[in-house]
Amino acid sequence: MKTMRRLLFGALTLWLAFAGYSATGSGQTYSATGSGQTAGGYDILIKNGLVYDGSPAPPAKMDIAISGDRIVKVAKSIPGTAARVIEAQGLIVTPGFIDLHTHVDDGMYFPENRACLNYLTQGVTTVVVGQCGSSAWPIFEKAEDLIGAWTKEGIGPNAAVFVGHGTVRNIVLGMENREPTPEELERMKALVKEAMDQGAYGLSTGLIYLPGSYAKTPEIIELAKVVAPYGGIYHTHIRNERNNLLSAVREAIEISEKAGLPAHISHFKVMGKANWGLVKEAGTIIEEARSRGLSITADQYPYPFTNGYPYSPLIPRTTWNGREAVDRLTPADVTKIFDHLGDTELIDLYKKVTPFYPLSQRQIQFLNGLPRKRLVDFAASFLFEIAAFQGPENMRERRLFLKRLADPEEGRKIRQEVRAAIDNALGPENTIVGICVEKNLEGKSLKEVAALKGKSIEDAAIELDLMGAKCIPFQMSEPDIEFIMKKDWVGTGSDGTAPSYGIGLTHIRSYSTFLRKIKAYALDKPVITMSQAIRSQTSLPAQIMKWDDRGWIKEGFKADVVVLDQAALKTPTSISNPHQYSRGVEYLFINGRLTLDKGNWNGALSGQVLKLKKS
C-alpha cells in the first residue's frame, strides 16, 4: 500500500510538473481550475462536511480532496475514489487552528512531549514558540540545533520559532540592570541575526520579566531593526498589563514604527479590577496606528485568569513575613553555599540535575565560558530552591506566622492587611478556590467560602492558605474579554505549555483554549459568530504570520484540516483538574497526514518546522 501511494503521489507530481506547478515547492499552488485528481484517485476525500473556509462568511456544505500535503480540490461534490474517504455529514470542517502564542517549546524540547497531544486534541496544527523574550532553544544552543532535532525526530504540530530578547540579553549581559555598551549591543544584534539566518520568524520580548524589563525602548528598536529586512515580526509581552497599559501599547507601536516591521501584542488584556475597561482606550490607540498603515495585531486567550501557574496565596507575602527582622534564607546565602566550590565541581553538580542530559558540546562550551559569578548563580538555580523554605508548607515559617496571629495586636494587623489586599485587588467575589482538601469548596469564591463557614473574609482567607488550598484570582473581566474578542485584528493564542500529562498544576488554557472559544463564545452565548471564531484561529493568524499557504480551506493550500463534531465538543478541564484532553475533534490532518483518527492520536508526528525565508 505504501509503495502504491508513493507511485500515485509520484504520478500526481509529474502531472503537476507538466502543468507548471510543484507538489511540494514553496510559493506555488495547484490550479484552482484543475481537477487535482490522478487516474487512481486522491489520498483523502472528505465528503459532505459543513465547511468554514477561514473567512467571516457563513459555511457551505462541500467536499474536500487531499493529495500529498495539499488540498487539491474543494467543490460541492467531488467524484472519484480515495485511499481514505471520510463521511463528514453532520460534522464541521475547518482549517487547522494556528496558535499565535505558546510556550510548548519548553516541553517539546523533550521527546516525551514532542507530539504536543494537548494541542492536537484541540485541533491545533501549528504553534508559534519562543515567546515572551525566551528563545525556543536553550540558552546554550542555537536555533539550528532545535530546528535540526525537531526536523529529524518529528513533532506533532507545525512550529515556527522566535528568538527571545531576554535570552539574547542574558547571554551577553547576564542579569545586569544596565544598558548594553555599544560593543555588547552589536553582539546582541549578531545573535538575533544568526537566529534569523537559521530560520527564526522574528524577535519576541517579555518586558515585564527579567532581564527583559531592564531594557529601554531604543535597545529593542535596534534589535528589531535586525529582524525587519527578513520580513520578520516583533511579538511582545508588553511592559505593563495593568495601570500603565496604554503607555506599554504605545511603546510597542513606537518600536514597530521606528524599526519598520509589524508588531504583535501577546495575550492582549488588562489585569486588576481598578484597571478594567482600559482595553477600550488601548484598542483605540491600536486602531489609530493601524489607520496610519502600521501593522499592529494581537492575540487573546478566553479566560479571566492568568499565569502558567495560575494559583496565588491569599495572605500577601509581606504580611506573612511580618515587619520585624527575622532570619530568613536569602539569595546571598545560597551564593555562599556554592561559592566555595570550584568551577569543575559546580559543573559536575549541574550535570547531575540538569534535564538537558547528556550535555552537548555547545552546552559544555557555554558553561566553561561563564564568568565565575554567573556560573555560581546558574548552577545554584538548578540545585537549590529558596521557595521550599517559604510559606505555609515550611514548618518554621508556619510556626512564626501562627505565633504572630495569636498575638491580639499583631493578629488584628494581619487580618486588616489580608482584607485590604483582597479588597484592593479584585474583591472576594473574584477569588476562586481551585484545589482544596475540603472538596466542597472547590469552584467557590472566597466570598462564598466565608459565608459557608460563617467567618469573615479575612479569616476564611487565612484558613484556606493554612490548609494549603490553591486559589485563583480572576484578574480580567468578562466584558473586557468579549470586547477584545470582537476585534477583527485579534487572533487566538493560548499562552500554554506542553506539560507531562498529569504532572504539576498548569493553566487550563494548555488543554482547552481553542475549543473553549468556540463553545463558550460562539455557540453558548454567542459573543461572536462561528465564522468569526474560526477566522480568529485560522486565516487571521496565518495573515499575521505572513503564511500564504495555510489557514484556509482552499485549493493549493497545505492540508492542515480539522473535522469537528460540534455535538460532541467538550472541554472537561477545570481549575481543580487541569490535565484533561478536549474532545470533539474527530479527524485532524497536518500536512495531509491523518494524525487524529476518530478522536484518537494514531502516533503520527506530522508537523514540520516552518522556517522564515528572507523576503
Side-chain angles (χ1 to χ4, degrees):
M1 176 61 75
K2 288 183 178 179
T3 302
M4 178 61 71
R5 291 183 69 180
R6 281 197 294 269
L7 289 171
L8 291 174
F9 185 66
L12 174 64
T13 304
L14 288 171
W15 181 88
L16 290 164
F18 181 80
Y21 296 98
S22 167
T24 57
S26 61
Q28 295 176 313
T29 62
Y30 292 103
S31 168
T33 58
S35 69
Q37 184 181 7
T38 68
Y42 305 101
D43 289 333
I44 304 290
L45 189 55
I46 303 171
K47 301 282 291 182
N48 302 311
L50 188 63
V51 176
Y52 289 84
D53 64 2
S55 74
K61 194 171 183 180
M62 305 288 279
D63 291 355
I64 300 169
I66 298 171
S67 286
D69 64 352
R70 301 270 175 169
I71 297 170
V72 295
K73 193 169 182 62
V74 181
K76 289 185 177 180
S77 179
I78 300 177
T81 61
R84 177 74 182 268
V85 177
I86 292 175
E87 177 53 61
Q89 179 71 38
L91 304 179
I92 290 170
V93 183
T94 80
F97 301 149
I98 298 170
D99 195 327
L100 282 164
H101 184 99
T102 79
H103 297 275
V104 301
D105 41 294
D106 292 341
M108 284 176 64
Y109 183 89
F110 304 100
E112 174 194 358
N113 299 320
R114 201 64 55 76
C116 211
L117 191 56
N118 54 318
Y119 279 84
L120 300 184
T121 52
Q122 296 181 62
V124 173
T125 57
T126 304
V127 293
V128 181
V129 301
Q131 297 286 0
C132 294
S134 179
S135 289
W137 51 95
I139 192 170
F140 44 80
E141 290 188 355
K142 305 289 186 183
E144 64 185 6
D145 295 324
L146 186 77
I147 291 171
W150 284 2
T151 300
K152 179 181 177 181
E153 299 171 18
I155 52 178
N158 301 307
V161 304
F162 273 68
V163 55
H165 161 258
T167 300
V168 168
R169 199 177 212 276
N170 194 4
I171 290 171
V172 177
L173 278 79
M175 301 300 285
E176 294 184 38
N177 183 5
R178 62 176 177 83
E179 294 183 45
T181 65
E183 293 76 18
E184 288 169 335
L185 183 59
E186 286 304 312
R187 189 179 170 205
M188 292 169 69
K189 290 165 70 174
L191 288 170
V192 172
K193 183 180 186 302
E194 175 186 76
M196 297 302 296
D197 285 336
Q198 293 174 4
Y201 261 85
L203 176 73
S204 80
T205 56
L207 299 181
I208 69 162
Y209 302 119
L210 298 177
S213 60
Y214 295 149
K216 295 181 179 178
T217 308
E219 175 184 320
I220 309 299
I221 292 171
E222 288 304 304
L223 296 178
K225 284 179 178 179
V226 176
V227 171
Y230 292 81
I233 311 164
Y234 172 61
H235 279 216
T236 178
H237 182 145
I238 55 178
R239 203 175 291 271
N240 188 282
E241 295 176 324
R242 294 181 181 272
N243 58 314
N244 289 321
L245 174 70
L246 303 185
S247 62
V249 167
R250 289 190 181 100
E251 180 185 35
I253 294 169
E254 178 186 358
I255 292 166
S256 169
E257 191 160 24
K258 291 183 177 178
L261 79 174
H264 181 79
I265 296 173
S266 301
H267 38 64
F268 184 38
K269 60 183 179 291
V270 70
M271 297 189 293
K273 192 172 182 179
N275 306 313
W276 290 349
L278 272 180
V279 292
K280 293 181 179 178
E281 294 180 60
T284 298
I285 292 169
I286 291 170
E287 287 170 352
E288 189 278 330
R290 287 170 58 85
S291 72
R292 292 189 285 112
L294 296 179
S295 178
I296 311 295
T297 55
D299 61 61
Q300 173 198 42
Y301 53 80
Y303 300 96
F305 51 100
T306 186
N307 294 332
Y309 178 85
Y311 311 91
S312 297
L314 296 176
I315 303 172
R317 292 301 91 177
T318 53
T319 299
W320 176 268
N321 292 337
R323 299 292 186 270
E324 294 182 9
V326 175
D327 287 338
R328 279 189 169 86
L329 207 63
T330 68
D333 295 323
V334 176
T335 299
K336 289 178 185 177
I337 293 171
F338 293 100
D339 199 33
H340 71 283
L341 297 174
D343 291 3
T344 301
E345 292 172 299
L346 285 170
I347 293 173
D348 285 344
L349 284 173
Y350 170 76
K351 287 179 180 178
K352 294 176 181 178
V353 296
T354 178
F356 306 113
Y357 183 84
L359 268 62
S360 68
Q361 190 59 40
R362 278 188 172 155
Q363 190 172 0
I364 293 170
Q365 290 172 351
F366 169 77
L367 293 170
N368 287 332
L370 287 176
R372 170 67 188 178
K373 184 179 185 308
R374 285 186 62 190
L375 177 62
V376 173
D377 291 343
F378 185 82
S381 68
F382 283 85
L383 293 162
F384 199 93
E385 182 56 69
I386 287 183
F389 296 87
Q390 299 172 341
E393 294 181 11
N394 181 275
M395 291 309 297
R396 180 178 187 274
E397 293 268 312
R398 190 181 183 94
R399 181 184 176 193
L400 290 170
F401 177 80
L402 288 172
K403 182 178 180 181
R404 289 173 47 232
L405 187 65
D407 179 86
E409 182 59 25
E410 190 67 14
R412 183 183 64 81
K413 290 179 181 178
I414 288 172
R415 290 178 172 87
Q416 283 180 341
E417 290 178 10
V418 169
R419 182 58 187 264
I422 291 167
D423 288 342
N424 293 338
L426 296 166
E429 70 279 5
N430 294 308
T431 302
I432 310 300
V433 179
I435 300 173
C436 186
V437 66
E438 297 181 15
K439 293 298 180 184
N440 64 306
L441 301 182
E442 291 182 350
K444 291 183 168 56
S445 70
L446 176 57
K447 185 176 181 180
E448 292 171 321
V449 171
L452 280 172
K453 289 182 170 287
K455 294 186 174 183
S456 66
I457 296 295
E458 54 270 29
D459 279 336
I462 292 169
E463 181 179 329
L464 285 169
D465 254 15
L466 288 173
M467 71 169 71
K470 308 296 183 186
C471 298
I472 292 181
F474 278 18
Q475 295 271 19
M476 290 86 81
S477 75
E478 195 62 30
D480 282 356
I481 292 171
E482 294 179 9
F483 171 83
I484 293 168
M485 191 175 294
K486 293 175 182 177
K487 294 298 182 182
D488 64 4
W489 40 267
V490 175
T492 306
S494 68
D495 201 9
T497 63
S500 297
Y501 183 65
I503 302 298
L505 295 175
T506 189
H507 196 298
I508 63 176
R509 63 196 181 195
S510 295
Y511 283 88
S512 54
T513 292
F514 287 79
L515 296 189
R516 170 180 164 79
K517 185 171 184 177
I518 290 172
K519 188 176 189 307
Y521 294 96
L523 298 176
D524 292 350
K525 286 198 176 178
V527 174
I528 52 177
T529 67
M530 186 69 151
S531 295
Q532 288 171 322
I534 299 300
R535 175 183 175 271
S536 77
Q537 304 183 167
T538 57
S539 64
L540 177 60
Q543 176 188 339
I544 290 168
M545 293 298 297
K546 301 181 181 180
W547 292 327
D548 59 4
D549 62 350
R550 297 181 192 272
W552 290 86
I553 299 293
K554 285 184 179 180
E555 293 175 5
F557 273 59
K558 292 286 188 178
D560 294 345
V561 180
V562 176
V563 182
L564 177 67
D565 185 350
Q566 181 176 313
L569 194 162
K570 291 183 180 178
T571 53
T573 187
S574 68
I575 55 178
S576 59
N577 192 6
H579 294 276
Q580 298 288 314
Y581 293 121
S582 292
R583 297 196 290 271
V585 176
E586 287 295 299
Y587 303 95
L588 186 70
F589 297 89
I590 301 177
N591 298 309
R593 294 183 64 192
L594 183 61
T595 304
L596 293 186
D597 190 349
K598 296 181 180 178
N600 298 310
W601 180 47
N602 61 12
L605 295 175
S606 308
Q608 299 174 351
V609 180
L610 308 180
K611 296 169 68 175
L612 178 66
K613 295 178 174 61
K614 188 172 181 179
S615 60

